[in-house]
Every structure is written in structure tokens, then in C-alpha cells.
Amino acid sequence: MTIYINGRFLTQPMTGVERYAYNICKAMARLHQSFTIICPKAPIHQDYDVSDLNIVHYGIGNSHFWEQCVLPFFFIGKKGYRIVSFTGLGSILIRHKVMTVHDLSFLKNPSWYSKAYYWYYRFMTPLAVKTSQHILTVSEFSKSEILRFYPFLKPERISVVYNAIDNQLFRHLPDCPPAEEPFVLCVSSIDPRKNFARLIEACQGLTNAKLYIVGKYNRVFSQNTELDTTSEHICFLGRVSDEELVRLYNQASCFVFPSLYEGFGLPPLEAMACGCPVLVSDIPVEREVCGEAAQYFDPIKTDEILRTITQYITDADVIKEKMRQKGFENITRFSWEKSAKVLVKKLEELNCE
């Protein structure tokens, strides 16, 4: 069996799902698993080092049209292959495919997304799911959501291949200089399900620290929510480099993640790897991912968000150190190599069916 990877993600900036796709590919390469990435002829984005990856450029364009209508022509006459899409639907015209569903937040709350995005994925996702030989997802919670929204699927057609972090990049820096002033860090795309409005409202009550928000708006999300950014305690940093992000994780008094819905939620693990105490929403997927290594709060109650943050700014160092150690232990549960091995094993099983 020849393994192909849908490489459209390589033409896009590296955000959450692109990072997942890229790191799974790099881990497969380290495991000496043979595969070929089929990529549009558009330039590879500068975020990616593809020097050790086998890439074939094919077709015209690099949009959904390339994925749905151009890519299938590559496989005309080919046998004994399987193509994996890590970042989205993959072509509904290709039968020998494995697709990844990271989450179904657009079905959970359509108002979080632009109308174009919502209707495209509402129509295309069930078609892609039905025409796929197997489905990958990133958590047991997301698997349960897929089965809830698409009850025609059988559980055995879905495999959980966890997210992970780059341990060479996200790490504790003992010599990192302290911050000039205490700050709470939040890292996320700026969209309604991330619950920024309540976080900002809660942090208006901060008196001895600032809130730093790393992230930017994405056009696929609804922008109906106006965020109050007038407070001197709130600092929007936009998108920062990976190196700058690691420094912020290391310097922050704590990391807060108030999301209302996630398929996985990678930033809490990045923060843990850097030795930053983690505070997260009490939602099922964060219990699955963070375990006992995080402090949980009700994301709907702004007073509880503020109280939890204030506690970790004022707590004694011994409590913070306890949370750091739990974080270091928790991140060992996840690695790209473990996830790549799960994927490769599943592809081998599919080949034997």
C-alpha cells in the first residue's frame, strides 16, 4: 500500500490543525514510514521545514477547489493506495481515503462561524465522512461528538490520534528573565467559542497583574462579539513567533484557557511544558487532556474566572511548583511519535481488510 498525504496545509500559515498535520508527518518520517505528500503548486509556506519530506506538486490552485476537484485526477489509474487528510475534509470523490475531524463546533453552535463556513462544512462533512474508509479525531470527546452528530457511523470506524507538542520548542527555561510586571497569559484564535468576552470582563477586576492575549482573528469565525479592549489591564499581542511564545509561557504567572468548546485544546499542554500553571474551563475535553494537572473553573461565571486567576497570582510558590510538576508529568502522555504509531497501525489494519 502506498500512503499519500493531502498536502494543501503546507501552503497555509501554521495554526492549530496545520501544526497537527505537519507534526504527524514529521513523526512518520522519523519512524521511517514511507509516504508522499501531494501538494498544490503554490509555494510552501515559510512556517514549514520540509527538507526531510517527500513532496509532489500537482495541479492548479490551492483552494477547496484543488482539494475537491483537482486532486482526484492524480489518482486516476492508481491502485493500492490510501490518502490521508489531516486538516479537513479531503475530496469526496476519492474513496480510498482517511479523513480527520478535529471537532464539530460548527454544529454545536453555528453562530460562532461565518455563514459561508457553516453551510459549506454542514453540507460537505457528512458527505466526506460517508465516503471515507476511516475517520481520525483528536480526543475521545470528539469521537463521542462525531457519533452523536453522525449516528450512521460505527465506533470502530473512528480512531483517536491525539495531539501533542514539540518538546524541543516548548520547554521550561530556567534562565529565562522574569517579567517586568506580573501577567496572565491566554493563547488562542480570537473567536466566539474561546469565550474572550467573559475572560476580559473578569480581568477588569485584576489589580495586580495584566492579561496578555496572543492570537488573531480568523475570517471563518463570526465577529458579532465586540470585545472591550479599553482597559489598561488588557494587552492584545496578536500573533507572535514561536520563540516569543515560549518566553511568554515561561514568564507568565499562570495560563488561562476559558474556551467553551474544543476538540482537544493544545495551548494548555504547551504551557505545562514550559512550567506555567494552567487554569482551564471545566469542560469534558479539558478533563481528558489536562487531568489533574490543571485548575478548573466554570467558563460561564466571570466571578469564578477572576477568583481562580487571582488565586494563582497571589498563591505561595509551593502551590505553583506543585502544579508545574503535575504539568510536566501530564505532557508525557502525549507525543507525536505515539500518535504516528497509532496512525500507521490503523493504516496497516485497513490494508488487511
Side-chain angles (χ1 to χ4, degrees):
M1 176 186 65
T2 303
I3 299 174
Y4 293 98
I5 306 295
N6 177 353
R8 179 171 171 251
F9 72 92
L10 289 174
T11 66
Q12 302 165 328
M14 190 188 298
T15 58
V17 295
E18 291 84 11
R19 191 179 294 273
Y20 178 85
Y22 175 67
N23 282 293
I24 288 282
C25 289
K26 297 290 276 189
M28 290 173 65
R30 289 194 294 272
L31 294 173
H32 306 293
Q33 174 63 49
S34 176
F35 63 95
T36 299
I37 300 178
I38 311 173
C39 191
K41 289 186 177 179
I44 302 293
H45 195 277
Q46 62 183 9
D47 287 349
Y48 306 96
D49 173 13
V50 297
S51 57
D52 59 340
L53 300 178
N54 182 28
I55 296 176
V56 172
H57 292 272
Y58 178 79
I60 58 173
N62 67 330
S63 64
H64 288 297
F65 179 81
W66 177 87
E67 189 173 60
Q68 294 298 329
C69 301
V70 177
L71 181 58
F73 283 94
F74 179 86
F75 294 99
I76 292 178
K78 289 184 171 59
K79 296 181 180 180
Y81 72 87
R82 191 158 284 107
I83 181 167
V84 183
S85 291
F86 290 120
T87 60
L89 301 176
S91 175
I92 62 174
L93 300 178
I94 301 175
R95 295 284 174 167
H96 299 287
K97 70 173 180 292
V98 174
M99 68 171 287
T100 306
V101 178
H102 287 264
D103 65 63
L104 293 174
S105 53
F106 67 95
L107 293 178
K108 178 72 174 180
N109 193 328
S111 68
W112 290 339
Y113 293 87
S114 68
K115 289 183 179 180
Y117 182 95
Y118 167 72
W119 285 110
Y120 178 79
Y121 279 91
R122 177 168 182 168
F123 176 75
M124 293 293 291
T125 302
L127 292 177
V129 166
K130 287 179 181 179
T131 57
S132 293
Q133 293 178 309
H134 201 74
I135 309 298
L136 307 177
T137 193
V138 292
S139 65
E140 294 293 342
F141 170 74
S142 279
K143 180 176 179 177
S144 69
E145 289 285 271
I146 295 168
L147 292 171
R148 179 165 73 91
F149 283 107
Y150 303 127
F152 57 83
L153 278 173
K154 295 181 179 180
E156 56 267 26
R157 282 190 61 197
I158 308 172
S159 294
V160 175
V161 179
Y162 278 122
N163 254 302
I165 61 170
D166 182 347
N167 289 297
Q168 298 299 315
L169 175 64
F170 295 102
R171 66 193 191 281
H172 179 51
L173 303 176
D175 298 328
C176 183
E180 295 181 0
E181 57 183 352
F183 68 90
V184 176
L185 181 64
C186 182
V187 178
S188 174
S189 57
I190 313 297
D191 71 79
R193 69 176 169 137
K194 302 299 185 178
N195 203 25
F196 277 106
R198 289 191 181 92
L199 175 63
I200 290 173
E201 181 183 346
C203 288
Q204 302 289 355
L206 283 177
T207 58
N208 54 351
K210 290 187 175 182
L211 172 65
Y212 287 6
I213 297 176
V214 172
K216 66 176 185 177
Y217 287 100
N218 189 313
R219 61 185 174 87
V220 306
F221 299 114
S222 167
Q223 304 302 337
N224 294 331
T225 303
E226 291 293 331
L227 300 180
D228 180 5
T229 61
T230 58
S231 173
E232 62 180 10
H233 297 296
I234 314 296
C235 300
F236 280 87
L237 304 181
R239 191 178 181 190
V240 302
S241 67
D242 284 343
E243 292 73 19
E244 176 70 2
L245 181 57
V246 170
R247 181 187 67 80
L248 290 168
Y249 277 136
N250 273 268
Q251 291 182 327
S253 298
C254 62
F255 172 81
V256 61
F257 199 64
S259 185
L260 300 172
Y261 187 95
E262 293 288 336
F264 186 90
L266 195 56
L269 292 187
E270 294 174 350
M272 289 179 189
C274 295
C276 185
V278 170
L279 322 177
V280 296
S281 298
D282 195 356
I283 55 178
V285 71
E286 293 310 327
R287 289 282 182 178
E288 178 183 347
V289 172
C290 297
E292 297 181 355
Q295 179 71 45
Y296 296 91
F297 56 80
D298 186 337
I300 304 299
K301 299 179 179 178
T302 56
D303 58 339
E304 187 171 328
I305 297 174
L306 175 60
R307 183 169 60 251
T308 306
I309 292 174
T310 301
Q311 173 188 348
Y312 272 81
I313 293 173
T314 58
D315 266 344
D317 288 342
V318 64
I319 299 177
K320 293 181 180 178
E321 183 59 30
K322 183 178 180 180
M323 290 302 297
R324 289 190 186 100
Q325 294 306 317
K326 286 185 176 181
F328 291 145
E329 293 173 9
N330 184 62
I331 61 172
T332 62
R333 297 165 51 210
F334 309 96
S335 79
W336 292 118
E337 280 72 19
K338 289 180 182 178
S339 295
K341 287 177 181 178
V342 171
L343 171 63
V344 170
K345 181 179 179 182
K346 176 50 62 178
L347 292 176
E348 292 173 347
E349 291 173 357
L350 291 174
N351 193 44
C352 295
E353 292 179 359

